[in-house]
Amino acid sequence: MANLKTPINKSDHIRGPAHAAISLVEYGDYQCPFCASACAVVDQLESYFEGKMRFVFRHFPLTEVHPYAEVAAESAEFAGTAGVFWEMHDALFRNQAILSVPTIMLIAEKLRLPETMMRLALETGQFRSKVRNDFMGGVRSGVNGTPTFFINGVRHEGPFDFASLASAIQSRLAADSHA
Amino acid sequence: MSSILTAGIVAPNFTLRVTPDQMLTLSDLRGKPVILAFYPADWSPVCGDQVTLYNELLPEFHKHNAEILGISVDGVWCHAAFARDRNLHFPLLADFEPKGAVAKKYGAYRDSEGVCERALFVLDRQGTIAWSYCSPVAVNPGADGILDALEQLSDQANVHGQLENADQ
């Protein structure tokens, strides 16, 4: 029940070396406060395990409680087509307290994304199925809330502060090297 | 943990209050798969996540023509406030008086705390339990088990449909 059912693939947003010993996958929501604090933790983990870890972010927007989660996720996908997914991702979390459509458009402007095309993509739901696929893949892997982390395909149970995640990663590395 | 009713057993029928002036009877939903989600309490953090997740998944449940019913011992006014706060689009039933009577029939009542277990049941179109699962009370069971069970029911229905067509 606690294994990642959708392997890391071409449609994923991946940061870090392709053959890293550690793959950390997060299912997250740009309007979830716990995900925003986890964002800083992921940065810390990436520095701590530098060169040994890759990070994948997948969308898990809970749209009925977070009205901007879906538009934020689709905007990140649009940014991805221009090669600035992670810049958008980080900026969305940094500005979570004031997240709104105007805030998102302002971030897009700073990233020099073409406004008309972005509005069109959002209006026509160009990335809705990509976001939904992420979400449903998460559900099938037993994701029940955000953030949910998978370390080398195994769900991380427990808190998501730096110390807990770092030690879970160390244990997983040890377990995998004995496997 | 109490032992909940398992697959193959006919789901006990019940009538419960769904709003201050409306009742819902399980057997009225015959012909459709039904998901029963017993949970301990409105407002508690884990339930919040669990019902939020099911709320997001309504389109997936509807693809299987399935209905989902949430059940706890909270009263109708509490359910109404909770549903409004979380923007829920499925019924929450009040197993309120006599308290927990329906949960007890399903083996999904925690006597020590006086609340429902976090127990899931998927019923087939004839009202027989096709799958059930009782989660530790603090753990959100997610929805993967429900979706697997609904897919199996749909596959079985398709096979039967094909057989019926083949007879003609």
Side-chain angles (χ1 to χ4, degrees):
Chain A
M1 231 174 149
N3 287 324
L4 189 63
K5 299 267 169 63
T6 316
I8 298 172
N9 61 69
K10 276 206 309 275
S11 73
D12 277 318
H13 300 286
I14 308 173
R15 195 154 78 174
H19 300 290
I22 307 156
S23 295
L24 181 69
V25 175
E26 177 186 352
Y27 281 90
D29 169 326
Y30 288 117
Q31 230 186 322
C32 158
F34 305 104
C35 297
S37 44
C39 185
V41 172
V42 169
D43 288 347
Q44 272 181 292
L45 290 168
E46 285 179 303
S47 328
Y48 187 76
F49 293 105
E50 201 186 347
K52 286 189 286 187
M53 180 178 132
R54 60 176 174 163
F55 174 60
V56 174
F57 184 86
R58 290 177 176 166
H59 303 292
F60 202 82
L62 294 171
T63 58
E64 295 286 349
V65 281
H66 295 149
Y68 301 114
E70 176 70 24
V71 63
E74 291 181 22
S75 300
E77 287 301 318
F78 180 79
T81 60
V84 288
F85 174 84
W86 294 108
E87 287 78 357
M88 176 63 92
H89 168 92
D90 291 338
L92 289 168
F93 277 131
R94 266 200 313 275
N95 292 287
Q96 189 184 68
I98 52 162
L99 202 63
S100 67
V101 173
T103 303
I104 294 170
M105 294 314 292
L106 212 62
I107 297 169
E109 193 186 321
K110 289 200 173 155
L111 294 175
R112 297 173 192 280
L113 295 173
E115 186 183 335
T116 321
M117 276 175 71
M118 177 156 156
R119 285 192 188 279
L120 189 69
L122 295 176
E123 274 164 27
T124 57
Q126 193 183 336
F127 299 102
R128 207 165 293 154
S129 63
K130 156 73 174 132
V131 172
R132 190 70 185 172
N133 284 344
D134 273 9
F135 181 86
M136 286 312 298
V139 171
R140 300 317 287 251
S141 302
V143 173
N144 50 22
T146 56
T148 294
F149 289 97
F150 291 84
I151 302 166
N152 289 359
V154 180
R155 185 164 73 187
H156 169 66
E157 315 281 351
F160 37 84
D161 56 283
F162 174 77
S164 308
L165 275 167
S167 88
I169 289 171
Q170 300 280 21
S171 325
R172 174 65 27 212
L173 277 178
D176 287 354
S177 68
H178 289 120
Chain B
M1 220 180 281
S2 45
S3 84
I4 60 168
L5 297 187
T6 52
I9 298 172
V10 175
N13 197 29
F14 57 77
T15 299
L16 284 176
R17 208 165 271 287
V18 60
T19 67
D21 50 12
Q22 265 182 306
M23 308 293 279
L24 190 147
T25 298
L26 179 65
S27 58
D28 290 348
L29 297 174
R30 236 6 97 72
K32 289 175 165 195
V34 175
I35 304 152
L36 302 179
F38 289 90
Y39 62 98
D42 291 344
W43 306 107
S44 86
V46 177
C47 306
D49 284 341
Q50 193 186 354
V51 295
T52 301
L53 181 65
Y54 298 162
N55 204 29
E56 296 287 339
L57 286 168
L58 291 179
E60 305 299 322
F61 297 154
H62 291 160
K63 275 184 202 166
H64 296 280
N65 200 26
E67 295 294 336
I68 178 163
L69 308 174
I71 307 175
S72 77
V73 296
D74 296 286
V76 279
W77 297 104
C78 184
H79 275 336
F82 183 56
R84 194 168 54 237
D85 185 74
R86 304 293 157 94
N87 231 0
L88 300 182
H89 305 297
F90 64 91
L92 300 180
L93 309 187
D95 196 7
F96 182 73
E97 182 59 37
K99 190 182 173 205
V102 172
K104 283 173 190 162
K105 285 189 194 170
Y106 283 78
Y109 191 71
R110 295 171 74 84
D111 282 309
S112 52
E113 286 114 272
V115 296
C116 298
E117 291 278 7
R118 204 175 288 287
L120 299 172
F121 298 85
V122 172
L123 316 184
D124 68 14
R125 288 165 181 75
Q126 289 76 44
T128 301
I129 297 170
W131 175 82
S132 68
Y133 177 76
C134 189
S135 177
V137 86
V139 177
N140 175 350
D144 45 332
I146 297 176
L147 289 171
D148 289 345
L150 288 177
E151 273 172 15
Q152 276 192 0
L153 287 179
S154 291
D155 288 350
Q156 284 163 12
N158 287 339
V159 169
H160 288 155
Q162 281 160 13
L163 290 178
E164 279 162 24
N165 289 338
D167 288 344
Q168 282 163 9

